[in-house]
Amino acid sequence: MNETELTENAESPQIGLLSRIVGTFTSPGRTAEAIGAKPNWLVPAIIIILLMLLFTYLAKPVIVQDTVTRIQQMMENKGVPQDQIDTVLNRIESSMGVRMFAGVTATTAFGIFIWAAIWLFISNIILGVQASYAQMLGINVYRYFITTIGLLIKLPIMLSKQTMNVHFSLATFLPDDQKTTFLYKMLMQVELFNIWAIVVLSIGIAVVSKLDTKKVWPWVVLVYVVWYVVQAALGSLFGG
């Protein structure tokens, strides 16, 4: 290890797992410095998956009901006979147990790795720096705590209202009959916890890439806008 590396390691804050989780919310810049020096992404990734499984377990009745209602409406709109609808819905309800939890585990893990690869591409190829994949995994996995904690905060409202359609977003100002439209689906993404996660992610990528945040956040926002447009388009098309 050369003198520069020793100096950088000495200046980098060495903080533990709990402090990193709290710091993601309270001091993202300092937390990102610690992640950049020592990513340690595996344990927080496991915690995120466990939290998502806990959320799914607690919200399962509402998730099942929302899914059944959505599929029933789609089939009714297509003129499917009621007896066929009942058969399909019964089959869906009986098979949403293990498959649901397996799906949550797979999609959460997949998202952690894929989004980290996207941010690595942005930093190293587009912005021309040399961050590591482990660093991007660390930055990405800790920003998941913001959206995951957001889900857990919204959970009591979901359970009381018996719907998954709970969000602190601009879509709140639209009437209920707009819920299946592209505009509603798009505005639903402009939500407190999503915006917070984007800000923290931009800071984190900038810190580990040793760039000004002003150079990073437009790319992060652009990627998420494209992602939200795709989600909104698919949601309005399939009634999701």
Side-chain angles (χ1 to χ4, degrees), residues 58-215:
L58 296 175
K60 181 182 175 183
V62 182
I63 296 172
V64 171
Q65 183 57 46
D66 268 16
T67 303
V68 167
T69 300
R70 185 174 67 251
I71 294 175
Q72 182 175 358
Q73 290 175 347
M74 290 173 59
M75 296 180 74
E76 287 175 350
N77 291 338
K78 293 180 179 180
V80 178
Q82 188 60 46
D83 59 334
Q84 293 185 26
I85 293 177
D86 293 339
T87 300
V88 171
L89 295 183
N90 289 334
R91 190 179 305 157
I92 290 173
E93 287 188 66
S94 62
S95 65
M96 281 189 70
V98 176
R99 288 174 59 185
M100 184 190 302
F101 294 106
V104 167
T105 302
T107 54
T108 303
F110 183 77
I112 288 171
F113 287 102
I114 291 300
W115 281 108
I118 292 172
W119 306 132
L120 185 68
F121 177 84
I122 294 292
S123 64
N124 288 16
I125 304 301
I126 295 180
L127 297 177
V129 297
Q130 286 300 315
S132 70
Y133 184 54
Q135 287 175 321
M136 290 303 165
L137 275 171
I139 293 298
N140 186 54
V141 77
Y142 277 97
R143 74 92 189 155
Y144 264 84
F145 279 101
I146 296 174
T147 51
T148 304
I149 296 299
L151 280 175
L152 293 172
I153 289 173
K154 290 180 284 187
L155 179 60
I157 306 175
M158 294 175 181
L159 295 175
S160 65
K161 292 189 173 182
Q162 288 295 293
T163 178
M164 297 297 293
N165 190 37
V166 174
H167 44 83
F168 308 135
S169 74
L170 297 176
T172 305
F173 300 102
L174 294 179
D176 288 345
D177 60 4
Q178 297 292 309
K179 285 184 178 180
T180 59
T181 65
F182 173 83
L183 178 61
Y184 186 95
K185 301 293 184 183
M186 188 65 190
L187 291 180
M188 193 171 67
Q189 305 292 345
V190 187
E191 201 223 22
L192 171 63
F193 293 102
N194 285 346
I195 295 171
W196 194 349
I198 288 172
V199 171
V200 168
L201 182 64
S202 298
I203 294 171
I205 294 173
V207 169
V208 300
S209 301
K210 295 180 173 54
L211 291 170
D212 192 317
T213 307
K214 293 179 182 179
K215 293 183 178 180

